[in-house]
Amino acid sequence: MRASDLVVPREAREPGVLGRVGASLTPRRAGTQGAVYLLFVLTLVAFSIWAPSFATTSSLSNIARDAAPTVVVAVGMTFVIIAAEIDLSVASTISLSGLVGAVLLGEPGVPWPLAVLAALAIGAGVGLINGLLVGYLGVPSFLITLGTLQAVGAIALMATATLSQPITSSGFLDVFGPGSFLSVPLTVWWALCVVLVGGYVLHATKFGRWVYAVGDSRNAARYAGISKPRVLIGVFVIAGVLAGLTGVLLAGRTTSGDPTAGTDMELTAIAAVILGGTDLFGGSGLIIGTVVGSLFLTAIQIGLILLGASGQLQTLVTGVIIVCVVTMNALAKGTRKA
Amino acid sequence: MIFEAADERQSEQPVGAAVSPTADPMPVLELRKVSKHFGGVAACDRVDLQVGAGEVVAIVGHNGAGKSTILRIVSGAQPPDEGQIFMSGQPVRLRSVRDARAHGIETVPQELALAPKLDVAANVFLGREEVARPRLFRFLARRGMEREARRLIGSLGVQIPDLRAKVGSLSGGQRQGVAIARALSWGRTVVVLDEPTAALGVRETEEVEKTVLHMKGLGLGILLVSHDLDQVFRVADRVYVLYHGRVVGSMRPSESTHEAVLALITGGGSAGASVVPVAPAAAETKAVAP
Ligand SMILES: Nc1ncnc2c1ncn2[C@@H]1O[C@H](COP(=O)(O)OP(=O)(O)OP(=O)(O)O)[C@@H](O)[C@H]1O
Ligand SMILES: [Mg+2]
């Protein structure tokens, strides 16, 4: 019995099996993602046929404009999900930072860039709290950010007694307002900047690589000397700052700060990230996928509006699509274990 | 066999003077009375252990004897409850893998600790990514790292046709190759290997053993856990036998036999085998060509 202990080390046989199963998995995932993109294209074609006004430049421009804030918050969410965490608090951060920005813009002595910085700082602050608690204490991010979602949302509502705050600062509206630059909406320019910078940080820097490593295997990251708490603080601060920017963009576009502006946007952002092919369990995903996912969700909304669907029906269709895509991903994963 | 000339000289050293930190040569790594408990179980119990520079030290023992626990302590992954650790005579605290790496200790843990969804080059350079010129933008030097990873893995004789392949899609042996390539390329003082060739083929095992002896020749201390006694007798200068968390014997393979070591592994010294501590080998920096 002891002789057999010697020849069969406990953990030694494992890798071979895992390795072989892993090999069968990679093309399968690519197939799933291909199916999502195909679904996206088919949806666009279907809307173009049923709602002739869908395939016009004005409605395509509407899709881009409406998708822009989703893209900004979802880029931050991409970092968090690739690190195998989740951030539900972004919705309240969006509301509070947009609101605080709007209030400060109404103060005579405050230059508008300072108001914007304050809004981003609120996002950074919420992200820092999330990151510290998840990174150092190891509390599940689902629970922590559920708590900060509630707390920050309550602060936003208490701050203005649910009234929205109009914005008149022309300097601010020139940069964040509903206008356009080179006939592209300002929010779309901002989203483009966020995508480029976010893509650079995630795909081309050491920090980005560590985000993947921490999300893929905590143990591998540990043996590589990567500080999990610091990486997690980084991703939550990024998500918080981008939520703050989303709040500013929404306030600018509607020329008012609204304490419920961000409601449900955490779900939209998560849906966009997952539709974009990022692994909900961390370790893989692309910024460009998130952009496609955001456009997909927005295109469905606008197409359904053009078809005259009610708000509930829009939500229903979106929900069904998310369930389908997540199920497809899970099925692809299930075959791994076979 | 190949170590005989060196071993003859070593055996002239005083036996039993191992615990003194002033012993010549100063061990690059020394554990003194190191213990680690899990609940009521002593995974390792007052373990004294030394690794000299340019010495290959093997730890053997039954499953659950505490071998990996000792290696995790050395690699900083699991700080001990009690005891002291010295490096080149200086007391050190290895509270994290980062601490250990700062002291030049590199580890291949039993479970390999690779990131399955990242590619081979990313894994070899994980935590030590290189930045491309111009350094202003701090772009990852993808091509450079890939070239270097290819060279390292090639030198181990492990075949990995596509370095862009995700590590999770590789075979067990290929993955072990990646983990070993990483440790061997970054280790500066001590390389810790937990069953490094368990999933490797005969030829790849030979290459890994060659590389271990090469690192030894460069003056590194190698701490190796292996269930393959033949391998232990091929590469190790000294062997520690663990039995339920305690060191029940240490010997030089050149002065011992498989049977004696096996008796200690299975019987924990109660089988009547003599337990004589042996001093770490002299710094044998002469490269040993296998
Ligand atoms: N994290 C842990 N929690 C509780 N018990 C542990 C833990 N790690 C190890 N042990 C226990 O400590 C003892 C030594 O384990 P260790 O992994 O060091 O054994 P080993 O000698 O490496 O065995 P093997 O040859 O099977 O790899 C075992 O009894 C094990 O159950
Ligand atoms: Mg072990």
Side-chain angles (χ1 to χ4, degrees), chain A residues 2 5-6 8-12 15-16 18-19 22-23 26 200 203-206 209-210 212-213 216-217 219-220 222-227 230 279 281-283, chain B residues 63-64 72 75 77 97-98 101 109-111 113-118 122 126-127 129 131 137-140 142 168-170 172 175 195 198 227 243 262 265-266:
Chain A
R2 277 185 178 131
D5 281 354
L6 287 172
V8 187
R10 201 201 304 156
E11 287 139 280
L18 282 180
T26 317
Y200 158 72
H203 301 314
T205 69
K206 287 188 185 196
R209 183 61 63 76
W210 298 348
Y212 283 93
D216 190 5
S217 163
N219 201 35
R222 191 163 66 121
Y223 273 99
I226 296 169
S227 164
R230 281 193 224 166
D279 191 332
F281 301 101
Chain B
N63 286 122
R72 279 194 295 268
S75 65
V97 176
R98 284 154 74 84
R101 298 221 314 183
Q110 193 163 7
E111 73 283 2
L114 297 171
K117 293 172 195 163
L118 297 186
L126 203 57
E129 291 80 2
V131 172
F137 298 108
R138 314 209 55 78
F139 273 103
L140 290 176
R142 281 176 200 278
S169 73
L170 301 180
R175 290 199 290 157
E195 301 184 29
H227 283 281
Y243 187 78
L262 255 175
I265 291 173
T266 53

Side-chain angles (χ1 to χ4, degrees), chain B residues 64-282:
Chain B
K67 306 180 293 294
S68 296
T69 303
I70 292 178
L71 298 202
R72 279 194 295 268
I73 288 170
V74 172
S75 65
Q78 200 171 58
D81 300 333
E82 287 158 44
Q84 291 170 293
I85 303 172
F86 296 82
M87 293 203 64
S88 304
Q90 300 297 313
V92 293
R93 286 161 65 86
L94 306 177
R95 311 302 301 177
S96 69
V97 176
R98 284 154 74 84
D99 285 356
R101 298 221 314 183
H103 284 101
I105 301 172
E106 197 68 28
T107 309
V108 178
Q110 193 163 7
E111 73 283 2
L112 300 184
L114 297 171
K117 293 172 195 163
L118 297 186
D119 69 17
V120 174
N123 268 281
V124 170
F125 282 87
L126 203 57
R128 289 187 169 108
E129 291 80 2
E130 283 172 8
V131 172
R133 279 170 217 285
R135 304 178 60 83
L136 176 65
F137 298 108
R138 314 209 55 78
F139 273 103
L140 290 176
R142 281 176 200 278
R143 286 234 228 93
M145 289 193 284
E146 206 171 297
R147 219 179 305 123
E148 183 62 11
R150 187 182 305 283
R151 194 187 63 73
L152 283 167
I153 285 165
S155 72
L156 282 180
V158 176
Q159 305 289 325
I160 302 179
D162 181 10
L163 284 199
R164 299 249 168 106
K166 292 181 177 179
V167 160
S169 73
L170 301 180
S171 78
Q174 288 172 323
R175 290 199 290 157
Q176 231 161 23
V178 174
I180 293 170
R182 182 166 89 183
L184 293 183
S185 56
W186 299 115
R188 292 290 169 265
T189 55
V190 175
V191 173
V192 175
L193 303 164
D194 199 343
E195 301 184 29
T197 57
L200 292 186
V202 178
R203 210 175 59 78
E204 292 85 350
T205 300
E206 211 172 276
E207 294 296 334
V208 168
E209 288 177 6
K210 244 190 241 176
T211 313
V212 165
L213 292 176
H214 176 70
M215 303 304 286
K216 165 195 154 91
L218 295 176
L220 276 88
I222 316 276
L223 191 54
L224 166 80
V225 164
S226 179
H227 283 281
D228 178 354
L229 272 191
D230 290 327
Q231 176 172 68
V232 168
F233 274 73
R234 275 196 302 273
V235 301
D237 299 311
R238 246 156 10 93
V239 188
Y240 286 88
V241 183
L242 273 188
Y243 187 78
H244 290 300
R246 308 191 61 164
V247 175
V248 293
S250 75
M251 66 280 287
R252 294 184 204 293
S254 55
E255 299 163 358
S256 187
T257 61
H258 278 55
E259 290 69 31
V261 175
L262 255 175
L264 278 174
I265 291 173
T266 53
S270 57
S274 60
V275 181
V276 187
V278 276

